[in-house]
Each structure stands twice: as C-alpha cells, then as structure tokens.
Amino acid sequence: MAVFARLGVTVVFLAAAAVVAEGILDPVDFLALQAVRRSLDDMPGSSFFEAWDFTADPCGFPGVFCDGNKVSALALGDPRAGSPGLSGRLDQALGRLSALTELSLVPGRVEGELPESLSSCRNLRFLAVSKNLISGQIPDGLGGLSNLRTLDVSFNQISGTIPASIATLPSITNLILCHNHLTGGIPSFPDSSSLIRLDLKHNDLSGGVPNLPSTLQYLSLSANRLTGTVDSVLPRLTRLNYLDLSMNQLDGPIPASVFTLPLSVLQLQRNFFSGLLQPANDVTIQVVDLSYNRFWGPVSPLLAGVGQLYLNNNRFTGEVPARLVQELVGSGGLQVLYLQHNFLTGIEISPASSLPSSVSLCLMYNCMVPPVYAPCPLKAGSTNTRPADQCPEWRG
C-alpha cells in the first residue's frame, strides 16, 4: 500500500508539474516582450503597462494572448475609446515572436519605422498600427507573409512606394494604407486575389488605375494624383458597395454599367470626367456625387431614385427632369439635389412651392432665373444666373 501511495503521490506531483510547465512562457518570447516593453511607454493618462510585471506570467499581461507557451497575439495599448495610447518605437524583437498571428497598436505617438523583422512572423494574419507617427517605408518582407489577411498602417507618415509583393499576398483581404505619404503607382493585383477592401486615399500616388480584383467591395483612391480612364476597370467590379475616386485627375466617360453596381456611395467629384450620363435603368444609389467634372448633355430622369445627388459644376444643359422635381417636392427618396453652376435652362416647379424642410435644392448660376428660393452652400456664390452670352439656348 505504501508503494502505491508513493506512486500515487508521484503521479499527482508529475501532473501538477506538467500544468506548471505548460504555463511557462518560452524564454525567447519572454525576452522579446521585455524588449517591446523597454521600447514603448504609456502616454500621460494611460496605464496600460502598469500590470506588465515580469515577475509574473506574461501571458496574463493586458494585451498579451498566448497559445501554450508562445505569444500568439499582441494588442498594444488600452483599446478603450479616448485612451491616450503609447509613445516610443516598435522594437525589432517583435520578429522573434514566432507564433504571432495578430499585432495591433492603439492610436498614439509611436514613431520610427515598421520593424523589418516582422517578416519573420510567418503566421501573422493581422497587422494594424493606424493613427500613430510611424514613418519610413513598408518593409518588402511583409510581402512574404502568406497568411496575412489585414494590413492597416493608415494615418501615419509612411513614404515610398507600395511594394509589388504586397499586392500578390495570397490571403490579403483588407489593405488599408490611407492618409500617408506614399508615392508611385498602384501595383497590379492578380486575378486570383481575394481582396475585399482597398483604401489608398490621401496619399501622393500617380499613374493610372490598374485592373483590380473582382472581389472588391470597398474601393477608395481619393485625394491622389491618379490619371487616365477607368471605363475598362470599373464594370468588372460587380461586388462594389462603396466607390470613391474623388479629387484626382481622372478623365474619360463613366460607363452606364457603373450605375448598376450594388453601390451605396458613388463619389467621383473633382476630376476631369466627361461625356453623357446615360444610366440604363433607375439608379437607386444612396449618394451620388459627380460634381466638379465636365459632364454634359441632359440630366437623366433615371437619377430620380438617388438619395443625395450632386451634379453641380458641370456642363449639363436642358431642363431639369420632372421626375427629379417630383421626388424632391413630394418628399420622396431624393433629399439633396445640387445643380448649381451648369447650363440648365428650366425647371418645372411653381414659384409658390414650399420645399420640405428636410430637402436641399440649389439652382444658382444656370441659364435661368431660379423660380424658387432655396438656400445654397456658400461656395455656390451669390450670382443667381449666368450671363446671357454664356447661354445661347436661353429663351429668357
């Protein structure tokens, strides 16, 4: 009995030892976390690192998630809204966390470059470090992370070009590089790409818009220096629900098929787009902004189903379609109709009509005297009507 008792104690002891051993962090990861801690500090008002006491198990630290004895995810900073965030730099030791699948950093004042060593984290699926002061270039090595699904370095100070290898990442679904100082062209994406969200707005990108994956649902390229046409690019993006190409130097026509995409927002303002707007069917997109372009010809009545329609500062002619007026005055789906600074010659609306308080109509600076008073945005100016010599079709 004594032998069995002793054996029983031994078995229990070994089992307990196994449990303890399972909770001990890998020494390489332990040292890497210490280096990360030394390179970052809480900003005033943040207490994220107060519980990072290395005499305890780091797997219990805030923001540290472990799988066995390896760090599998690292969420640096207090994620609560309004947290001041962190300062300092991202240490190259991050690359020694070989099991890391997720790395995130809350908004703060972390500066320096993205560690090149992150390319050693072969299991990394999620990398998000937006709204900091990170500079330098996007490391080429990130293009070798075959499991990477989300790359978000938005709202930083990153410069240089977008590595071509980033566009060919086989698992990438979200590429968010907006509000940086990126230059050069947009890289080509393979047809096999599973990209869903591409956000490159507010950079200094140039050149044309390349063929993009048909899987895209969100595309924002606004506020760059992009040139050329998009009439062969957009029709194949049949899953798009958000499209913003505004504030570029794009030109050429907009194909009718764009208005059949499942969009909730279509923003093409402040470019050099031109030609007739001829949707084939009723347009039901909630927001359509085509202002500050060079579109000409009549306004299509098929746009009456839009919620907010901005056609101002173009070269539209003829009368405003009665369907648009009916939708606006009758409190239909049309809530905003901006037509100022065109060459329109008339609108069928009674001067005594009272526009619903929920709608906005602007008709200033066309080839007609606006029959109703409707407050316009300040940038529309104060001149109601175009000079007669600019309105050869105006009959008074």
Side-chain angles (χ1 to χ4, degrees):
M1 293 292 294
V3 173
F4 285 109
R6 290 175 185 171
L7 286 175
V9 171
T10 303
V11 170
V12 171
F13 175 79
L14 289 175
V19 171
V20 173
E22 190 176 337
I24 296 177
L25 187 64
D26 181 283
V28 174
D29 286 29
F30 187 91
L31 292 174
L33 287 180
Q34 285 188 320
V36 169
R37 174 63 188 92
R38 287 194 298 268
S39 66
L40 295 170
D41 287 299
D42 282 306
M43 289 181 61
S46 173
S47 57
F48 175 74
F49 281 125
E50 281 187 3
W52 278 45
D53 178 2
F54 284 93
T55 62
D57 179 11
C59 291
F61 292 177
V64 178
F65 304 88
C66 297
D67 184 2
N69 66 342
K70 303 289 289 183
V71 175
S72 59
L74 198 54
L76 296 171
D78 187 343
R80 292 176 296 183
S83 168
L86 307 176
S87 62
R89 295 171 178 266
L90 293 176
D91 198 273
Q92 293 286 348
L94 286 166
R96 298 203 294 270
L97 299 174
S98 58
L100 194 66
T101 61
E102 299 183 15
L103 174 61
S104 62
L105 175 66
V106 300
R109 300 188 64 81
V110 175
E111 55 188 12
E113 300 185 4
L114 279 176
E116 180 73 45
S117 63
L118 287 173
S119 60
S120 299
C121 299
R122 312 306 294 180
N123 298 310
L124 196 62
R125 297 194 303 261
F126 182 89
L127 175 56
V129 294
S130 65
K131 297 182 180 178
N132 279 277
L133 302 174
I134 295 171
S135 57
Q137 301 189 10
I138 298 173
D140 287 333
L142 295 185
L145 299 177
S146 59
N147 294 306
L148 191 62
R149 298 175 187 173
T150 295
L151 176 59
D152 183 357
V153 297
S154 58
F155 293 90
N156 278 288
Q157 299 177 5
I158 294 175
S159 58
T161 59
I162 302 172
S165 58
I166 295 295
T168 58
L169 283 166
S171 301
I172 196 74
T173 56
N174 299 285
L175 185 56
I176 307 170
L177 312 179
C178 60
H179 290 270
N180 279 288
H181 306 302
L182 294 168
T183 56
I186 300 173
S188 296
F189 292 80
D191 291 337
S192 60
S193 174
S194 56
L195 192 65
I196 293 175
R197 182 185 182 99
L198 178 61
D199 192 346
L200 305 178
K201 65 178 174 281
H202 286 271
N203 278 288
D204 196 25
L205 299 170
S206 56
V209 179
N211 282 333
L212 296 168
S214 60
T215 51
L216 273 179
Q217 298 178 23
Y218 180 104
L219 175 61
S220 181
L221 306 177
S222 68
N224 281 287
R225 293 188 297 113
L226 301 174
T227 56
T229 62
V230 295
D231 53 326
S232 63
V233 176
L234 297 182
R236 66 189 301 266
L237 304 180
T238 56
R239 303 180 189 180
L240 271 186
N241 55 52
Y242 183 97
L243 174 61
D244 186 358
L245 303 179
S246 62
M247 294 184 283
N248 279 289
Q249 300 166 29
L250 299 166
D251 57 27
I254 298 300
S257 58
V258 168
F259 295 101
T260 66
L261 299 175
L263 292 167
S264 59
V265 174
L266 172 62
Q267 294 186 310
L268 304 179
Q269 68 269 26
R270 296 187 183 274
N271 278 285
F272 301 131
F273 290 122
S274 60
L276 295 167
L277 285 182
Q278 297 178 312
N281 302 292
D282 285 334
V283 181
T284 57
I285 303 170
Q286 181 58 33
V287 178
V288 174
D289 192 342
L290 307 177
S291 62
Y292 293 93
N293 277 290
R294 298 174 179 177
F295 294 114
W296 53 274
V299 175
S300 173
L302 297 177
L303 295 170
V306 173
Q308 299 175 33
L309 182 59
Y310 304 89
L311 300 178
N312 53 288
N313 295 82
N314 277 285
R315 300 173 182 178
F316 290 110
T317 56
E319 294 199 354
V320 180
R323 279 189 63 188
L324 269 69
V325 178
Q326 292 166 4
E327 286 291 320
L328 195 71
V329 176
S331 297
L334 186 58
Q335 298 295 305
V336 177
L337 180 59
Y338 278 7
L339 297 170
Q340 67 269 24
H341 287 259
N342 279 287
F343 295 84
L344 298 168
T345 54
I347 181 171
E348 293 186 12
I349 185 171
S350 168
S353 295
S354 177
L355 292 174
S357 59
S358 61
V359 306
S360 297
L361 170 67
C362 186
L363 298 169
M364 292 182 67
Y365 209 69
N366 277 284
C367 295
M368 61 177 170
V369 176
V372 294
Y373 171 75
C376 289
L378 288 176
K379 59 186 175 183
S382 57
T383 306
N384 277 339
T385 306
R386 278 189 180 275
D389 60 359
Q390 296 182 15
C391 301
E393 298 182 7
W394 192 17
R395 295 187 295 273

